[in-house]
Every structure is written in C-alpha cells, then in structure tokens.
Amino acid sequence: MAVSDRSAFITGGSGFIGVNLARTLIESGWRVTSFDDYSAGSREDGESAGYHELIEGDIRDPDAIRAAVAGHTHVIHLAAHTSVVESIEDPRNDLDVNVTGLLNTLIAARESGVEGFIFASSNAPLGDVEPPSHEDKVPRPLSPYGASKLAGEALCSAFAGSYGLRTVALRFSNVYGPYSYHKGSVVATFLKRVASNLPLIVYGDGEQTRDFLFVD
C-alpha cells in the first residue's frame, strides 16, 4: 500500500499529542482525521495541525465512533480521561471513558477492517515498581486510572487474539512538548510559571525522579 493510500483516525486528535502526531503523519503523506469532544483538546489546535477532517464526537457513543472510523486504514486511540486524582474521586466515569470508550473504538475498528490499532496506555498500570520499568514487570495499578489503562491493554490483546486485529499498546511516561499548555504536568507547570515570572515549586526533598518523554 502506498503511503498516499493510508489514512489515520485519531481519537483525542485535537489534544496536544494528537496535534503533534497529525503534523508528522500529514507531512509523510497520510490522510488524517481527528475525533474529539474537546473536553481537553481545542478545535483551534486541531485546525492548526492541518487535519483533513475534524469530527466532534464522544467515544462513548458507539454509533458515532462506528460511522467515523469507517474508511480508515489505521486507528490511533489517544482519547482518555487522564487525571489520577479525578479517577479516585469518580472511578465510574474514569472506567466509562477509558474502558467503554476504548471498547467502542476497538469494535468499530474491527468492523471497518482497519490494518492496525495503536492504544495510548500509560506507566500507571505498573504502579509503584522499582525502576527501571519494563514490560516484564507485573502490573499492580494503584489508582482507578491505572486499572482502566491496564484493562485497555487487555482488551487490545483480546481483540488481537479473538479477531486478528493488529494492536499495540504504548506506555507513555510524562509527555511534554508544544501545545501542552492546558496540562497540569510538571514541565507545563514550570513553563507557565516561568512565563508569569513566578518561582518554581518543587514538592518533597527534590530527590524524586520522573521519566520524561518529548512528544516528537
């Protein structure tokens, strides 16, 4: 298949990872569609990425996602509820978005005969493990968010085994980069405070470590 025949359907496509990914795919000759409810991403950012189509919709709506996925060769599932704290406060909503929403998208991808499905997971399924983190570590999620992402990985594995859908789960760490201005992560927070001429705040003893991943 020529690159020009490839089309990517990106859920959460107007979020900051989706916007950066879309630019790369479009430059490589892909046709790219964004599906987003704009609860986190913005339509303006999606428009700036150059998407061929912007669809406003909710992954919890199986009919909407089925109609939107049709005709694409690949699905990249970025849409998610991402707050650990909010998942603890309302685990039912976290499961609804992260598990039911993913299941709807997987079913739509299977019915449409897509060639490949990428799922944005997290390091949260592993919980508090001794570094370095890797796939051989036994997952022990400590939050409903981590559990929902682990369930998502299991669903992707099940769809590969049951239906032959090619799936892969990527466990993103702390992603930062352009268009992440709305995020509350440490890099985005530091940059916003620097721009406002405010001091940086480091909690604890300053000896903690995090694994950062630039969006490119």
Side-chain angles (χ1 to χ4, degrees):
M1 175 180 291
V3 172
S4 59
D5 296 328
R6 293 179 176 174
S7 54
F9 178 85
I10 306 179
T11 67
S14 292
F16 101 94
I17 294 179
V19 168
N20 283 279
L21 175 59
R23 292 177 183 274
T24 299
L25 291 174
I26 291 167
E27 289 173 0
S28 299
W30 287 62
R31 181 173 181 81
V32 189
T33 299
S34 168
F35 186 90
D36 204 304
D37 66 359
Y38 305 120
S39 59
S42 77
R43 188 176 186 89
E44 291 74 19
D45 287 350
E47 291 173 346
S48 73
Y51 276 106
H52 297 89
E53 185 176 8
L54 294 169
I55 301 174
E56 183 172 358
D58 192 325
I59 57 173
R60 292 172 293 183
D61 182 342
D63 293 331
I65 196 75
R66 182 183 296 110
V69 167
H72 293 84
T73 62
H74 295 76
V75 172
I76 302 165
H77 187 70
L78 303 178
H81 180 265
T82 61
S83 171
V84 172
V85 173
E86 291 179 10
S87 80
I88 295 172
E89 295 172 348
D90 188 358
R92 189 178 299 278
N93 179 64
D94 189 79
L95 182 146
D96 194 26
V97 175
N98 290 353
V99 180
T100 303
L102 169 63
L103 178 60
N104 290 338
T105 311
L106 282 166
I107 291 173
R110 175 178 63 85
E111 292 178 347
S112 296
V114 304
E115 296 179 22
F117 189 105
I118 295 175
F119 169 56
S121 186
S122 165
N123 54 8
L126 287 178
D128 187 16
V129 298
E130 185 71 23
S133 298
H134 53 76
E135 289 81 353
D136 291 334
K137 298 277 188 176
V138 177
R140 292 188 176 90
L142 299 176
S143 66
Y145 169 71
S148 71
K149 285 297 188 179
L150 183 58
E153 294 180 5
L155 279 172
C156 287
S157 178
F159 268 67
S162 296
Y163 308 113
L165 177 63
R166 294 177 60 211
T167 62
V168 62
L170 303 177
R171 284 180 176 167
F172 297 163
S173 56
N174 300 277
V175 187
Y176 71 97
Y179 297 96
S180 59
Y181 56 86
H182 64 282
K183 293 183 66 64
S185 55
V186 62
V187 173
T189 299
F190 276 6
L191 289 174
K192 283 183 280 191
R193 292 186 69 84
V194 167
S196 300
N197 200 30
L198 295 172
L200 305 185
I201 299 174
V202 176
Y203 296 98
D205 59 11
E207 295 297 316
Q208 61 269 40
T209 61
R210 299 299 296 273
D211 183 19
F212 294 105
L213 181 69
F214 187 62
V215 72
D216 275 354

